[in-house]
Amino acid sequence: QVQLGESGGGLVQAGGSLRLSCAVSGRRLNLYAVGWFRQAPGKEREFVAAISRGFGGAQYADLVKDRFSISRNNAENTFYLHMNNVKPEDTAVYYCALDYRRTVGVSFLAEQYDYWGQGTQVTVTP
């Protein structure tokens, strides 16, 4: 089965940076579009970033597009979310996810992703 293991979450001061990693086992990563979502207390899960399996490149939520960067390393079966200039409102549980069905472009909808990580907490302090 497909399993996703997340790492890199933790405490960071506003303005700082960190990198979230998602290591995938069970399937080759090059078969998936990949994405990151987040969920803050009392809020719905929201799209953060995604990068396509094929054509289309990366897409970002408006609130993170100038600060975050998604990347993938298919040889290592791992993908990443680089978070720069973090803000307190970035505090949330971050989830990595795989989309097997979309071979071109990405989906912004959580329900269209097939596999999910367990989530990792990111807390940004003032």
Side-chain angles (χ1 to χ4, degrees):
Q1 63 174 326
V2 177
Q3 294 184 323
L4 286 68
E6 295 167 309
S7 62
L11 293 171
V12 61
Q13 290 189 108
S17 301
L18 73 167
R19 184 183 74 171
L20 306 184
S21 300
C22 186
V24 178
S25 63
R27 295 289 297 275
R28 297 297 302 172
L29 186 61
N30 62 7
L31 298 176
Y32 297 90
V34 304
W36 290 92
F37 292 77
R38 68 187 183 186
Q39 188 167 20
K43 298 182 179 179
E44 296 183 349
R45 188 170 300 187
E46 66 177 0
F47 173 81
V48 176
I51 189 166
S52 65
R53 169 184 175 183
F55 300 99
Q59 300 290 331
Y60 299 92
D62 287 344
L63 291 176
V64 309
K65 66 182 178 63
D66 296 323
R67 300 182 295 116
F68 293 4
S69 178
I70 186 171
S71 63
R72 62 193 299 160
N73 188 329
N74 290 337
E76 299 293 333
N77 242 43
T78 304
F79 64 102
Y80 307 93
L81 184 69
H82 300 262
M83 306 171 65
N84 300 307
N85 191 26
V86 295
K87 302 177 180 180
E89 53 263 42
D90 295 322
T91 296
V93 177
Y94 283 72
Y95 299 89
C96 60
L98 307 182
D99 173 10
Y100 177 75
R101 288 167 286 182
R102 242 151 302 278
T103 59
V104 177
V106 301
S107 174
F108 301 91
L109 303 176
E111 60 265 30
Q112 293 188 335
Y113 284 75
D114 301 294
Y115 304 101
W116 291 86
Q118 78 284 356
T120 184
Q121 177 71 45
V122 173
T123 301
V124 181
T125 60

